[in-house]
Amino acid sequence: MIPAEFDYVRPGSIDEALAALRDGGEDAKVLAGGHSLLPLMKLRMAAPTLLVDLGAIPGLNGIERANGGWRIGAMTPHVAMERQTELGLASKVAGTIADPQVRHRGTIGGSLAHGDPASDQLAILLACDGSVVVRGESGEREIAAAELFLDYLTTAVADGEVLTEVRLPAMDGYGFGYRKFNRRQEDWAMVAVGALVKKAPDGTCEDVRVGLTHMSSVPLRATAVEQALRGQPLDPNSIAAAAEQAAEGTDPPADLNASADYKRHLARVLTKRALTDASA
Ligand SMILES: Cc1cc2nc3c(=O)[nH]c(=O)nc-3n(C[C@H](O)[C@H](O)[C@H](O)COP(=O)(O)OP(=O)(O)OC[C@H]3O[C@@H](n4cnc5c(N)ncnc54)[C@H](O)[C@@H]3O)c2cc1C
């Protein structure tokens, strides 16, 4: 459980961090909360030769409302999002992540850059059509959530780039629900479903978003569910019929906790419950 030897720097600005990453080459890694990277290093599944700690860079930690959405600094810990209840679904989801220690150390930027499909906030960013901002030596670019998650633990944040900010649409007027299934309260999700529902004045479904966690090597939108429910009455029958589509287009990884079929079953059940919560 002792990692391979590595060097460590704690730059005071993004420019210094980018220079350190360039000088460190392909074996240099950004360090945020360390709650995914350090376990991998201790298991010798990752062996970076240089860690570039973002902890001393000003301006990367905080949540503010701007342009009809939220700007969340990459180094913002999960607990800060949990406490900012105006974030709605993302706040509720942050409160379900592991235990207080993980929520105090782990960051939203680290979670999104790491791209673990069992992580809770990825499918929420996707469902809200959010984005992230990354800085590299050639400048800044914005990556839409739909373009961010490429494969298991693989995101569009390139080596040598730093994710600096998360942009989350406010989703004002949407009800929300989050259902996460795990064996023990603080475990990772076997499957989780986040739902957002906007009601039309006549009570029908004006818009709906459903994000699926751990149903593939990347987070997914349950587009078949969304299409089935949009424009329909928000009653138990329509919700149940739409939720039946939740496993469409998924490819859930079987693991020690659940077979792929069981995860498909979970997706349908949790989608029904999350949509019911969001419509209430
Ligand atoms: C016991 C335990 C239980 C957990 N349970 C859950 C859970 O239920 N749900 C959940 O969602 N998460 C869970 N986590 C993970 C936790 O949320 C981590 O915080 C998160 O996965 C990574 O965030 P971090 O800040 O710790 O990143 P780090 O571990 O520091 O970094 C992770 C990876 O992302 C890269 N990276 C980090 N920040 C940036 C950046 N700003 N720009 C570019 N690259 C960056 C690093 O180089 C590294 O490759 C758990 C962790 C532990 C230890």
Side-chain angles (χ1 to χ4, degrees):
M1 298 302 275
I2 297 175
E5 217 167 274
F6 58 89
D7 290 325
Y8 170 90
V9 291
R10 192 171 162 87
S13 70
I14 297 277
D15 287 337
E16 284 173 33
L18 294 174
L21 287 170
R22 181 198 57 221
D23 294 346
E26 62 179 17
D27 290 327
K29 275 252 170 222
V30 167
L31 176 69
H35 268 50
S36 291
L37 183 55
L38 296 185
L40 288 176
M41 289 169 63
K42 288 181 173 182
L43 293 167
R44 303 273 175 138
M45 292 166 77
T49 50
L50 173 68
L51 290 188
V52 180
D53 186 347
L54 302 183
I57 300 177
L60 289 183
N61 185 344
I63 302 173
E64 65 178 30
R65 179 98 192 205
N67 304 326
W70 294 96
R71 295 167 58 145
I72 307 170
M75 288 294 284
T76 304
H78 303 307
V79 71
M81 293 181 64
E82 178 185 4
R83 288 178 182 158
Q84 179 58 269
T85 54
E86 286 174 55
L87 286 170
L89 178 58
S91 167
K92 185 181 176 74
V93 168
T96 73
I97 295 174
D99 51 40
Q101 179 183 332
V102 174
R103 294 201 290 277
H104 276 83
R105 294 294 307 178
T107 66
I108 181 68
S111 224
L112 297 172
H114 191 53
D116 185 332
S119 290
D120 292 272
Q121 293 285 14
L122 282 54
I124 306 308
L125 189 77
L126 201 58
C128 295
D129 283 330
S131 62
V132 297
V133 178
V134 297
R135 279 264 314 268
E137 288 209 292
S138 54
E140 191 172 87
R141 65 193 179 108
E142 186 172 355
I143 308 171
E147 314 291 327
L148 180 59
F149 307 110
L150 303 180
D151 203 346
Y152 181 70
L153 300 186
T154 309
T155 66
V157 182
D159 286 346
E161 283 185 327
V162 174
L163 194 161
T164 55
E165 184 181 299
V166 180
R167 294 184 178 164
L168 194 66
M171 310 304 287
D172 293 331
Y174 284 75
F176 59 85
Y178 192 60
R179 292 294 185 130
K180 176 174 178 174
F181 193 84
N182 43 20
R183 285 229 264 225
R184 295 168 306 175
Q185 177 72 24
E186 294 171 348
D187 279 352
W188 294 82
M190 268 190 231
V191 175
V193 179
L196 292 139
V197 170
K198 188 171 195 180
K199 269 188 201 173
D202 65 0
T204 57
C205 175
E206 183 178 319
D207 190 27
V208 53
R209 317 284 185 88
V210 179
L212 301 175
T213 294
H214 219 178
M215 286 298 289
S216 170
S217 57
V218 289
L220 296 175
R221 281 277 285 269
T223 46
V225 175
E226 296 176 359
Q227 280 163 17
L229 195 57
R230 218 168 266 131
Q232 298 300 311
L234 284 166
D235 59 29
N237 288 340
S238 311
I239 288 174
E244 277 304 301
Q245 316 281 324
E248 286 287 307
T250 65
D251 184 17
D255 54 37
L256 284 175
N257 287 315
S259 66
D261 270 351
Y262 184 56
K263 287 189 175 182
R264 289 189 193 96
H265 167 74
L266 283 175
R268 290 189 280 266
V269 172
L270 298 176
T271 298
K272 187 166 110 181
R273 292 179 186 168
L275 285 171
T276 304
D277 295 343
S279 310

